[in-house]
Amino acid sequence: MNYTIEINNFEGPLDLLLHLIKKAELDICEISIVEITKQYLDYINLMESMNLNIASEYLTMAAELIEIKSSILLPKKKIDNEDDYEEDPKENLINRLIEYEKYKEISEVLKKYEQDRKELYTKKPTDLEIYNTVTNEISENFDLNDLMSALNKMLDRKKLDKPLNTKITNREYSITERSNQIKNILKNKKQVEFTDLFDIYSKDYIVITFLSILTMARHQELSITQDRNFGKIMIERVD
């Protein structure tokens, strides 16, 4: 049987042997040591004729093949004692080739996985905290007591500014209506002072306005901030 010998980059002598076996379409378990040794040595001689450097492991395998071939061709000694068992070098080589073939197949699968992974691109998670200008507590450095205190101070000032004679007209307000009004105010002014939203001095209006501010803050439609203690409380639109 004729073999086509090619000069390829092999990963070792077992890789070369496996290549020769597959080129000849042989079963690893039924290889002819005589034929495979001939083809292997032809390959080594071809490399030498091309002045290519031959690694020592290839030469070691050549010597091993020649030894196995010699043991097959020479008559075997009869073993009288069953304990004097000698390992079959051909069987040992076949087992090594089968094991190597398994690793080679697995490595091809892993290479494919590696190639597929290279086509995936990832990025580190983005910290979105910088966009979180409003929290469920209205502000990290702000609480409801500050808001109530500011409201009480505003009401005290309103009492002092209240005219002696006033005419009160009853009108019903809703949180939805007042929230929409506050939204319109914040459309024109991104930021307004808390007390400026209480432009009508009536109990219902003040209560509805205060509840509307809290509701909008809870829904993250506006933010409530205070730069320093006892400073102005600012209402800001959340985009």
Side-chain angles (χ1 to χ4, degrees):
M1 182 178 294
N2 295 326
Y3 292 84
T4 301
I5 299 178
E6 299 176 354
I7 303 299
N8 294 321
N9 292 324
F10 298 103
E11 298 178 358
L14 289 177
D15 199 31
L16 172 56
L17 279 176
L18 194 62
H19 169 75
L20 296 174
I21 292 170
K22 289 184 176 181
K23 291 290 286 185
E25 299 181 354
L26 296 174
D27 185 347
I28 294 178
C29 297
E30 298 178 359
I31 59 173
S32 171
I33 292 295
V34 175
E35 289 294 330
I36 207 66
T37 301
K38 178 180 181 304
Q39 294 301 319
Y40 187 90
L41 294 177
D42 287 344
Y43 179 86
I44 298 297
N45 292 331
L46 183 59
M47 290 184 68
E48 289 180 339
S49 65
M50 297 177 66
N51 295 323
L52 298 177
N53 293 326
I54 303 175
S56 59
E57 56 183 342
Y58 287 90
L59 299 177
T60 302
M61 177 58 73
E64 184 178 344
L65 287 171
I66 293 173
E67 182 181 2
I68 297 173
K69 177 183 175 182
S70 301
S71 64
I72 293 174
L73 296 177
L74 294 174
K76 296 182 180 179
K77 296 181 181 179
K78 185 177 180 181
I79 301 176
D80 297 330
N81 191 349
E82 293 181 358
D83 294 335
D84 296 336
Y85 171 76
E86 292 184 3
E87 185 179 14
D88 187 353
K90 177 183 176 181
E91 184 179 351
N92 180 271
L93 177 62
I94 290 174
N95 290 335
R96 287 162 57 193
L97 284 169
I98 293 174
E99 193 72 15
Y100 177 79
E101 186 179 33
K102 291 179 181 178
Y103 281 109
K104 189 175 179 65
E105 290 174 353
I106 293 174
S107 66
E108 292 299 324
V109 174
L110 294 178
K111 284 181 182 178
K112 184 180 182 303
Y113 287 159
E114 180 186 15
Q115 188 61 36
D116 293 342
R117 183 64 183 84
K118 288 180 179 179
E119 297 178 2
L120 299 178
Y121 298 91
T122 59
K123 66 181 290 293
K124 293 182 179 180
T126 303
D127 185 9
L128 300 180
E129 286 298 322
I130 59 175
Y131 302 105
N132 187 18
T133 57
V134 180
T135 64
N136 291 332
E137 291 82 17
I138 301 178
S139 176
E140 293 181 358
N141 300 319
F142 194 84
D143 58 30
L144 191 58
N145 291 330
D146 294 331
L147 204 60
M148 292 294 297
S149 177
L151 181 61
N152 289 328
K153 289 180 181 179
M154 185 271 298
L155 292 177
D156 290 340
R157 288 197 304 268
K158 289 289 185 180
K159 288 180 181 178
L160 295 176
D161 295 338
K162 181 180 178 181
L164 296 176
N165 297 317
T166 60
K167 183 179 179 179
I168 301 175
T169 302
N170 291 330
R171 181 188 171 188
E172 293 184 358
Y173 296 95
S174 69
I175 293 178
T176 301
E177 178 186 3
R178 186 57 182 144
S179 296
N180 290 332
Q181 291 175 355
I182 294 174
K183 288 179 182 178
N184 291 330
I185 294 173
L186 294 176
K187 282 183 180 179
N188 300 323
K189 297 180 180 179
K190 181 176 175 61
Q191 189 181 66
V192 295
E193 190 175 349
F194 170 70
T195 55
D196 290 344
L197 295 176
F198 300 88
D199 52 332
I200 298 178
Y201 186 67
S202 71
K203 180 179 179 180
D204 292 343
Y205 186 81
I206 290 172
V207 171
I208 289 297
T209 300
F210 188 73
L211 292 177
S212 298
I213 292 172
L214 293 180
T215 301
M216 294 177 69
R218 187 175 69 252
H219 293 160
Q220 298 188 354
E221 296 174 335
L222 58 77
S223 65
I224 305 173
T225 57
Q226 188 177 35
D227 293 338
R228 62 185 184 281
N229 291 335
F230 309 111
K232 291 183 179 181
I233 297 175
M234 304 304 297
I235 308 296
E236 186 174 353
R237 181 179 77 244
V238 175
D239 295 327

